[in-house]
Amino acid sequence: MPESLLTILKLCALALLYLFFLRVLRAVWAEVSSTRGVAVAARPAPAPDPARASRRGPGRRQRGSSQLTVVEPPELEGRSFELADELTVGRAAGCQVTLEDNYVSQLHARIFRRDGMLFVEDLGSTNGTYLNTRKVSSPVALNRGDRLKIGSTVLELA
């Protein structure tokens, strides 16, 4: 082989090595920066006050009053989380919704509000995020009654 071809191959291998290291650093940075600003995990939402609901009128909900309610597994059934403008779901302590499930990634999914609508996106999880049995590969709009499967946990948007 000519020496110039070997030199080019060495440079290509070196470039690939640098790209690999940059990718690892980016993943570490994303993990560190997502947990740095979060001090408290989400608390289960309080039970609704019937007196307050009647003052708002039937069928009228406030903008931030959407909730995710666990429907499976049975030991977590009924646990609910108030949805903010953005929250993360995963096993990491910095996630707003922490799920103790071996099939859930550290940073599994993100639920966020855009133009008054809720969206869910998978954050590169190992086992995927499913919305009504369809795998989420890009941000997808959420509607009331939709079921979100993260690991072996199923959450319903109420």
Side-chain angles (χ1 to χ4, degrees), residues 43-112:
R43 293 179 195 90
D49 181 9
R52 285 183 73 191
S54 64
R55 283 187 293 227
R56 282 194 310 238
R60 294 168 69 188
R61 296 181 71 102
Q62 293 176 337
R63 178 178 172 222
S65 63
S66 299
Q67 291 182 356
L68 275 179
T69 305
V70 178
V71 293
E72 288 178 24
E75 59 269 10
L76 296 176
E77 190 174 345
R79 185 174 171 197
S80 58
F81 302 94
E82 193 75 29
L83 291 176
D85 285 336
E86 181 175 336
L87 59 85
T88 53
V89 181
R91 280 189 300 152
C95 292
Q96 288 84 11
V97 177
T98 305
L99 299 174
E100 297 301 323
D101 182 343
N102 290 335
Y103 296 104
V104 174
S105 298
Q106 293 292 318
L107 286 172
H108 196 100
R110 175 175 82 114
I111 300 171
F112 60 97

